[in-house]
Amino acid sequence: MSFFRSTSEISATPAEAVPPVADPAVGGSVQHTSEILDEAILASSSRVRDSLPEQHREHFEALRDEIIDFAQAHNIPRESLAKPDALREAAEHLSIPDLERLATLLERFEYLLIHKEPREEISEIIEYAEKFYHLKKQYDSQVELLEEVGILESGTILGIDGYEYPIPTLEQIATRLFERRKELKTKHDQGFTKLLLVPFGMSLDSLREVLKQFLLSYKQNNPTFDLDTDKPLWAWEDYQGADTGDSPKLVYHPQSFTQDGHGGKTKMEILKEQAEGRWTPTSVGVAGEEGRTSPGWTIHLLQSSDPSNIDSPGFAPIPRQGKGTSQGDLTPRPPLEAGKTPNEHLSTLQKAQDDPTSSYLHESGLTPEDWIMAFMTHLEETQLPLDNWQNDIESIPYLTGAFFRSLNRVPFAHWNFNFNRINLERIPTGFRGANMGIRTSVIV
């Protein structure tokens, strides 16, 4: 069955390629697949959905919503989805990766409608993600937070380039985890099981405003939470517009902290490469699958507060020197403790990418965008601020996934207990602080 594989020409849609079938959901009459798609996508879906075994109805809803959200995000009229000629014309503007994604979605949806069950490999993928990551619970929680704080609207975010980017779906994330299961086995054993969805394509200014409003709302709902409501978030002026403009101050995923030859990319450059299917985790020093991107988003696995327990809330703190605990049996991972410089930490991660035996293989430092999402998630789940270093247990994270190139500074962020607020700051790349360290993630 072909749709549009590796070509800008649309050959045959699934609706054309499948013979008529009998569908008991519509009175047992013989219908073409296009008519069933029309019933399932355009009309009330209850009759088609209810004809499926109960255990597959949730999968039906998820696929249906994803197809509709994809069409909306890519300006494809919803009514054209079940009409081959109209769909061919509407999809002419799509990139090859987007054509591939739409083809896959329609093929899987069609298979479910006809065979009354998901394709076998999809069932296996979902089962794997549930067993090893409890993915649905984590995914639903992340989506709920994104919607509550106003980041996610109609399933999309607005990027700094003016384009809308749909949120990665549960199925997409499960597929990546399944496809990379061999190389991620060691990271899973080390406790990297905590999901974090980051709307990377949004402007950092917009995310900072979201964080500010989140804090104020949290205070309103939790009056005992100590917060400076006049200034809940303080940031150096360098953060203003840091990721936008013709010459943005921030670059992401640098290979070194040098003004020239840093190897990083601007947010606009990454968004462009994502849209073209060229930006992969490999390009940030993390082994990944070619073309496995969700434009506008990054998907992370971090260690939870108890790395040995998938369901433990929040994120693991950065241990002080001599206070960390090794994790993992396959390749034991000594903790990255506080007390080193950003340069030293970046060097550790860079060397790990060339050493398949390294305990830190596949790990990378966080960006300010990552930290903002992690903070909100952590506070929601634990009712405690992330990186409250003044409790003499936690530490301040260098955000080595980003770099102020003209200033030769690395961003960092923390909860300031004295002022009851968040601080977003930057620091020289050679600075060594006994209470400063690094939190890493695995990008999938």
Side-chain angles (χ1 to χ4, degrees):
M1 180 185 302
S2 63
F3 185 50
F4 25 75
R5 299 294 184 194
S6 302
T7 175
S8 59
E9 295 289 328
I10 301 176
S11 55
T13 69
E16 293 176 303
V18 179
V21 295
D23 184 14
V26 287
S29 60
V30 176
Q31 287 191 311
H32 283 280
T33 306
S34 59
E35 294 172 323
I36 301 174
L37 285 171
D38 186 86
E39 170 75 16
I41 295 177
L42 303 181
S44 170
S45 64
S46 59
R47 289 192 298 169
V48 179
R49 181 199 62 212
D50 292 347
S51 73
L52 300 173
E54 187 172 352
Q55 67 267 30
H56 300 319
R57 292 174 189 174
E58 187 173 327
H59 182 66
F60 168 90
E61 294 287 2
L63 268 179
R64 179 178 182 271
D65 290 346
E66 184 174 354
I67 291 169
I68 292 171
D69 289 345
F70 182 98
Q72 180 179 350
H74 292 82
N75 298 316
I76 296 175
R78 185 168 163 180
E79 59 271 14
S80 71
L81 290 169
K83 297 175 175 59
D85 291 339
L87 180 57
R88 182 179 295 109
E89 181 178 352
E92 286 181 348
H93 69 283
L94 295 180
S95 65
I96 295 299
D98 283 340
L99 291 173
E100 293 281 348
R101 183 61 193 157
L102 181 56
T104 300
L105 287 173
L106 289 174
E107 289 167 1
R108 290 175 178 173
F109 194 56
E110 178 186 72
Y111 187 98
L112 177 64
L113 297 180
I114 295 172
H115 297 279
K116 310 302 180 187
E117 63 180 6
R119 286 201 319 218
E120 182 177 354
E121 65 270 24
I122 299 302
S123 296
E124 182 183 4
I125 286 169
I126 297 296
E127 288 174 5
Y128 170 85
E130 282 304 304
K131 178 179 179 180
F132 290 96
Y133 295 93
H134 299 181
L135 186 62
K136 186 177 187 307
K137 177 182 177 182
Q138 293 205 69
Y139 180 83
D140 288 348
S141 177
Q142 288 277 287
V143 171
E144 182 179 359
L145 175 62
L146 288 161
E147 291 176 338
E148 284 181 355
V149 300
I151 288 176
L152 199 61
E153 297 184 7
S154 301
T156 67
I157 60 168
L158 181 65
I160 61 170
D161 53 3
Y163 290 102
E164 292 184 338
Y165 293 104
I167 186 173
T169 65
L170 176 69
E171 184 180 304
Q172 284 178 293
I173 298 171
T175 299
R176 291 191 207 182
L177 294 172
F178 184 80
E179 290 176 343
R180 297 186 62 196
R181 62 193 181 281
K182 290 184 180 179
E183 64 187 273
L184 293 180
K185 183 178 180 180
T186 296
K187 307 315 292 183
H188 181 279
D189 180 58
Q190 294 171 347
F192 285 85
T193 59
K194 183 75 172 177
L195 179 70
L196 186 69
L197 301 180
V198 178
F200 175 76
M202 286 181 63
S203 75
L204 185 52
D205 288 345
S206 296
L207 273 177
R208 288 195 294 128
E209 182 60 26
V210 166
L211 178 57
K212 176 183 174 181
Q213 296 304 319
F214 167 81
L215 289 168
L216 293 172
S217 176
Y218 189 87
K219 170 65 175 178
Q220 185 174 9
N221 295 325
N222 301 270
T224 59
F225 178 61
D226 289 328
L227 178 72
D228 179 356
T229 54
D230 291 329
K231 190 180 287 293
L233 171 62
W234 182 90
W236 282 98
E237 61 182 12
D238 306 302
Y239 280 86
Q240 184 67 37
D243 56 343
T244 58
D246 295 334
S247 183
K249 291 170 279 189
L250 271 182
V251 294
Y252 294 88
H253 305 295
Q255 306 301 299
S256 66
F257 294 136
T258 54
Q259 189 167 358
D260 297 318
H262 51 74
K265 296 180 182 292
T266 66
K267 182 174 287 188
M268 283 290 288
E269 288 172 335
I270 291 176
L271 288 176
K272 185 174 185 294
E273 292 186 3
Q274 282 184 329
E276 296 172 351
R278 295 189 292 116
W279 190 89
T280 71
T282 305
S283 66
V284 300
V286 184
E289 297 291 334
E290 184 66 29
R292 288 294 180 187
T293 61
S294 293
W297 295 81
T298 48
I299 304 164
H300 302 256
L301 296 174
L302 291 88
Q303 291 179 318
S304 61
S305 57
D306 177 2
S308 65
N309 179 6
I310 295 177
D311 296 317
S312 60
F315 300 96
I318 301 166
R320 299 291 176 94
Q321 193 167 18
K323 300 295 185 179
T325 303
S326 183
Q327 298 291 333
D329 296 321
L330 299 176
T331 303
R333 180 186 182 275
L336 291 170
E337 297 177 333
K340 294 186 177 180
T341 69
N343 279 323
E344 289 172 328
H345 282 301
L346 183 63
S347 177
T348 295
L349 297 180
Q350 290 297 307
K351 290 176 181 177
Q353 306 316 322
D354 298 321
D355 180 6
T357 67
S358 172
S359 302
Y360 311 110
L361 183 66
H362 305 315
E363 297 178 36
S364 58
L366 301 190
T367 69
E369 291 86 345
D370 302 335
W371 189 87
I372 288 173
M373 290 308 306
F375 184 93
M376 291 192 291
T377 300
H378 189 86
L379 185 58
E380 282 280 286
E381 294 183 357
T382 68
Q383 292 73 58
L384 296 171
L386 183 65
D387 299 325
N388 179 19
W389 63 278
Q390 286 154 310
N391 61 15
D392 294 326
I393 297 174
E394 301 177 60
S395 304
I396 298 172
Y398 304 122
L399 303 177
T400 60
F403 177 49
F404 285 103
R405 51 183 172 182
S406 61
L407 302 172
N408 198 34
R409 296 288 189 272
V410 173
F412 70 91
H414 63 96
W415 176 256
N416 189 318
F417 179 80
N418 289 335
F419 291 93
N420 296 316
R421 70 186 186 195
I422 286 173
N423 278 20
L424 295 177
E425 307 184 54
R426 73 283 195 280
I427 204 164
T429 61
F431 181 86
R432 186 186 308 277
N435 54 14
M436 302 191 74
I438 185 176
R439 179 180 287 109
T440 63
S441 77
V442 176
I443 300 176
V444 295

